[in-house]
Amino acid sequence: EDYENSVGHSERTDAVVEPYLSKQWFVKMKPMAEIALKTVKDGEVKIYPHRWIKTYNHWLENIKDWCISRQLWWGHRIPVWYKGDEIYCGLSKPEEDGWTQDQDVLDTWFSSWIWPFATLGWPDETKDLKRFYPTQDLVTGPDIIFFWVARMIMAGKYFCNEIPFSNVYFTGIIRDAEGIKMSKSLGNSPDPLDLFEKYGADAVRVSILMIAPQGLDILFSEERLEQGRNFMNKLWNSARFILMNLENGLPPALSKIDIEDLDETDSWILSRLNRTINLVDGAYSEYKMN
């Protein structure tokens, strides 16, 4: 660090790090990690892409105890009170005088790991909890696989004896054409509303899906939106052409098709339709959105 010394000229000193011992609260993590490992190994929770399972397992198999106390002024204050050598943990302090609450707050992930059920009224047996827990899909980034995903699985199994979700889909990180992560501070990310205005909202959505292979980062450039716009134009024009040439409009949604009335061309179209439906369903079941 540069500083002006007593003789008035600038010098540089090497920083010195000194250890500072303090009392902290920890969660013993090995038993919790065993729960999370077994849950994924047994297939209760499935992870996509599958290669992230190896990363998930490596961290849990080498887990350290979790320090949950933070020396900050923002957050959920630790619900622990002290009186001499006595320690009390509860939602409110004891009635007797002389108790002082811990000054620290909980690690933000300590509240986040109970998010799937705490938001639904837990620990009360609410209607929302019964209806919406567990859910099916969690979509998130792989950078918080340890901080959040693994810990939510631990908390769900430990506190509710039930998984919080059945599937985890890890998206890629969207980057600019140079491979740099998009951020507001760097100014390398476009305004989505401007892109919607220029290309159309559906075209932008389809383009992003098409350039986002499962689990890989997305290299974005505005030129790549043209493929989505071209696809949506074809879809729009095809649908408009059909509607213009139907004499009696679209048939009722649940009308039954008599196969005997179809010629060879109609049967071919239906076969291609059903093959496409199977391909799309298969891709969706493996979370291969592109």
Side-chain angles (χ1 to χ4, degrees), residues 70-102:
R70 296 287 182 269
Q71 292 70 58
L72 303 170
W73 287 108
W74 185 91
H76 294 103
R77 196 167 173 185
I78 292 179
V80 173
W81 282 261
Y82 306 98
K83 184 178 180 180
D85 293 332
E86 294 183 77
I87 299 176
Y88 172 79
C89 180
L91 297 179
S92 57
K93 76 172 185 177
E95 295 181 357
E96 307 89 38
D97 294 333
W99 289 92
T100 303
Q101 188 173 359
D102 198 310

Side-chain angles (χ1 to χ4, degrees), residues 63 95 102 107 116-117 175 192 198 219:
I63 201 164
E95 295 181 357
D102 198 310
D107 176 13
F117 46 88
R175 302 178 182 274
K198 185 175 181 180
L219 295 181

